Amino acid sequence: MMADKVRTRFAPSPTGTVHLGSLRTALFAWLWARHAEGDFVLRIEDTDTKRFDPDSVAGIMEGLRWLGLDWDEGPDIGGPFGPYTQSERGALYRDHAQRLLSSDKSYRCFCSPERLQRLRQEQRAAKRQPQYDGACRHLSHDESAARAAVGEPFTIRLRLPAQAQITFHDVIRGDITVAASTLQDPILVKSDGMAVYHLAAVVDDHRMHISHVLRGEEWIATAPYHVLLYEAFGWDTPAWVHLPVILNPDGKGKMSKRHQGERHLPVNVQDFMTAGVLPDAMFNFLSLLGWTPDASKELFTRQELIDRFELAMISPAAAKMPYAKLEWMNGEYVRRLSSQAFRSVSTPFLARAFGKSETAVDQMAGLDYVLPEIQTRVKTLREVAPWLSWAFKSAADMEYTPIDMLIGRQLDARQSAETLEVCQAMLEEAVPFEPKVLQALFRVAAQEQDMKLGSLLGPVRGAISGAKVSPPLFEMMAALGRRECQARIHRAHTALVAEDVARS
Ligand code: GLU
């Protein structure tokens, strides 16, 4: 039964945060498992202890959870084929290495690191590809066992079969053939007894009944070794699916952290989280990076993506990372949120931007007047805070520099100050203190003053927001409340009077 079941895995090495390419690998493996009603396994590949970063496992899990990828088995929840962290599976790998030794499919290699380094140097000097020369391949059983018995350090290498080439099948790339002359007997177990990635990954994929191995195309070069290892053990291979790399936006090289002009491009999952990308948008966007479920549209629900997912439809071609498309798509998802949902996803961003607690932000009831206006204007959640700096200040913090922000169109400083006086008097009449009421009052005032509404509002907008760009004025005023508006207008008025004195 197990053999028929689709089981995929995401097998990151915990060396840092999750790169966008790895996140896409995880997503495709998850989509395939969910599509086929199979299982998705999380396995931590930490055999290379030198590169191990202990915080990284938590970061990986946080990234997967953020995107909404749940796993059926993994280091934190266990499962029938655990443990799911390779460093806890050393005995199993040693046991399997021993099996290969006994069947002569592998051999002990006593070559010292110094000898191997010398060999590489000589080969390079002779313009040959550096490769192990097989010096220990032909040691007799007795000699090999005797040298091991006296404690001479050794690695275990796979004995590659003599054949001209090896061919394996990739679901999206078809048959891939590699000349055996480019391969060398790979080390399976290091001299300290630790298994190398090749052995650990193959043993685990087999023991965990993985049916489809999805991973980045950079692993194609290791696939022949894995295929030969399966052969050496006499096991069936899983289906191979090597996903295309994601290139930098200019098409040059694999996507990496760097600056484009002044702009810092997000690359790791945490970067996208702090940039205020919504998980639903990211899920939709990433699904389409290398897969086109339907050329006539781009927005899909999670369920549609699960239903339509097909491995064979993944493109093998490397694709450039389309940041503009991600922003556009995120904007679309932002627009679709309910006002309440938009508020709740924005809260952590506001709390961080203005140094407040989330509870304090939650208590700012007035934000409900302006957030829907901002929701129509932003593409990412990080863009929300700059629209709201006025809301997190009090009248005493307001700075009106340059003073031009308080001067209305076709008005001078004195006239602008007079405009503020008219408005100030009017604020008492706004009952309730709501956008519609304020708007009606300001209309009437403009008529009475024989002014354009825009000219009348200019100084008030500056007084309330302290900035040139801001959300609609009446919503801002309602958000702040009557007293705060009066205090700001008073302060702005004082600044204008001082300016008028200075100018005259
Ligand atoms: N541990 C490898 C990585 O860090 C995974 C390779 C594989 O999926 O086989 O990407």
Side-chain angles (χ1 to χ4, degrees):
M1 194 194 81
M2 190 58 89
D4 294 328
K5 192 170 195 193
V6 166
R7 286 177 52 87
T8 64
R9 83 322 191 253
F10 177 50
S13 297
T15 53
T17 53
V18 182
H19 183 273
L20 184 72
S22 304
L23 193 64
R24 199 262 319 259
T25 299
L27 171 63
F28 279 19
W30 183 91
L31 278 172
W32 183 233
R34 294 293 171 256
H35 172 85
E37 293 177 7
D39 298 322
F40 175 65
V41 176
L42 175 62
R43 180 172 80 221
I44 301 298
E45 301 207 322
D46 57 348
T47 53
D48 190 351
T49 43
K50 281 199 285 300
R51 292 166 59 226
F52 181 70
D53 168 3
D55 294 335
S56 160
V57 174
I60 289 167
M61 292 190 182
E62 181 193 32
L64 295 178
R65 285 199 189 101
W66 173 76
L67 195 61
L69 308 186
D70 56 336
W71 47 99
D72 304 294
E73 296 161 32
D76 53 337
I77 51 173
F81 309 108
Y84 293 88
T85 300
Q86 288 188 328
S87 56
E88 295 166 25
R89 297 169 67 83
L92 184 75
Y93 307 137
R94 277 190 289 280
D95 173 55
H96 280 77
Q98 195 55 49
R99 276 198 222 172
L100 292 181
L101 265 185
S102 319
S103 61
D104 214 27
K105 298 276 178 19
S106 70
Y107 59 90
R108 294 189 192 88
C109 172
F110 297 94
C111 294
S112 64
E114 294 73 30
R115 173 179 188 270
L116 294 174
Q117 195 186 346
R118 233 179 306 119
L119 179 65
R120 277 194 297 272
Q121 279 164 354
E122 285 164 14
Q123 288 169 330
R124 267 197 213 104
K127 304 245 178 301
R128 293 208 314 269
Q129 190 184 339
Q131 256 182 349
Y132 180 54
D133 59 358
C136 294
R137 245 182 166 236
H138 308 293
L139 291 180
S140 71
H141 273 143
D142 291 348
E143 183 183 349
S144 169
R147 287 171 72 173
V150 296
E152 195 177 331
F154 62 87
T155 59
I156 298 179
R157 287 183 187 266
L158 180 66
R159 188 189 300 281
L160 296 187
Q163 60 191 65
Q165 57 188 40
I166 95 138
T167 297
F168 61 96
H169 185 77
D170 181 285
V171 174
I172 59 178
R173 293 162 198 274
D175 284 349
I176 298 178
T177 298
V178 183
S181 59
T182 61
L183 306 178
Q184 57 178 338
D185 293 352
I187 294 178
L188 302 179
V189 179
K190 290 184 279 188
S191 55
D192 61 5
M194 285 290 280
V196 165
Y197 159 71
H198 301 303
L199 177 66
V202 165
V203 168
D204 286 351
D205 283 340
H206 174 73
R207 299 279 298 218
M208 295 178 181
H209 300 271
I210 299 304
S211 63
H212 295 76
V213 168
L214 280 83
R215 58 185 180 187
E217 100 180 78
E218 63 273 24
W219 297 98
I220 291 180
T222 67
Y225 293 121
H226 297 183
V227 172
L228 292 169
L229 258 173
Y230 276 95
E231 235 166 60
F233 282 117
W235 297 333
D236 289 339
T237 55
W240 309 103
V241 189
H242 289 96
L243 302 174
V245 304
I246 303 173
L247 302 172
N248 280 306
D250 59 6
K252 288 189 196 136
K254 185 177 158 194
M255 205 179 76
S256 57
K257 238 192 178 46
R258 56 183 207 158
H259 299 264
Q260 273 221 334
E262 279 304 290
R263 233 177 121 198
H264 177 70
L265 295 176
V267 172
N268 295 316
V269 58
Q270 267 77 12
D271 300 338
F272 292 96
M273 290 159 93
T274 43
V277 171
L278 294 172
D280 282 343
M282 192 68 177
F283 187 103
N284 188 157
F285 169 81
L286 266 188
S287 298
L288 307 192
L289 220 50
W291 171 43
T292 310
D294 177 346
S296 68
K297 65 173 200 161
E298 307 223 76
L299 299 176
F300 299 89
T301 64
R302 287 176 186 250
Q303 195 55 48
E304 281 175 315
L305 292 165
I306 292 171
D307 291 344
R308 293 175 184 223
F309 193 70
E310 274 305 332
L311 291 178
M313 282 169 63
I314 299 171
S315 159
K320 294 180 205 166
M321 169 64 187
Y323 282 99
K325 177 170 162 182
L326 174 60
E327 282 201 352
W328 163 79
M329 193 174 276
N330 202 59
E332 292 297 310
Y333 275 86
V334 165
R335 238 75 73 217
R336 280 155 204 237
L337 294 173
S338 68
S339 306
Q340 207 185 343
F342 178 67
R343 175 158 187 158
S344 84
V345 293
S346 300
T347 296
F349 286 84
L350 295 176
R352 214 175 309 135
F354 298 110
K356 300 246 177 217
S357 69
E358 292 189 22
T359 320
V361 176
D362 278 339
Q363 283 162 355
M364 295 171 69
L367 291 181
D368 284 337
Y369 285 105
V370 282
L371 279 171
E373 300 294 335
I374 297 170
Q375 189 177 356
T376 63
R377 291 167 166 79
V378 296
K379 293 204 181 83
T380 64
L381 300 178
R382 197 165 49 188
E383 292 167 27
V384 177
W387 285 96
L388 284 172
S389 51
W390 54 272
F392 288 83
K393 286 182 185 154
S394 64
D397 311 321
M398 297 303 286
E399 274 174 29
Y400 300 112
T401 37
I403 193 81
D404 294 355
M405 75 174 78
L406 294 176
I407 299 186
R409 243 179 300 139
Q410 292 154 358
L411 303 180
D412 61 17
R414 178 195 300 262
Q415 291 162 322
S416 298
E418 284 163 7
T419 305
L420 286 184
E421 284 161 30
V422 172
C423 296
Q424 186 72 302
M426 208 177 66
L427 291 192
E428 285 299 343
E429 291 164 41
V431 182
F433 203 74
E434 292 281 337
K436 281 213 168 62
V437 179
L438 286 162
Q439 187 178 31
L441 281 170
F442 274 86
R443 279 241 159 79
V444 173
Q447 274 167 8
E448 282 174 359
Q449 302 289 313
D450 196 21
M451 282 173 85
K452 286 225 167 67
L453 184 60
S455 309
L456 181 70
L457 295 187
V460 191
R461 177 187 300 284
I464 297 297
S465 73
K468 271 273 176 231
V469 222
S470 55
L473 176 61
F474 304 124
E475 277 73 11
M476 274 195 291
M477 293 176 77
L480 291 171
R482 190 191 322 270
R483 296 288 158 245
E484 179 64 20
C485 290
Q486 287 173 334
R488 288 185 189 202
I489 290 174
H490 178 72
R491 191 174 168 87
H493 183 263
T494 309
L496 278 172
V497 170
E499 176 68 14
D500 180 48
V501 171
R503 282 190 190 181
S504 58

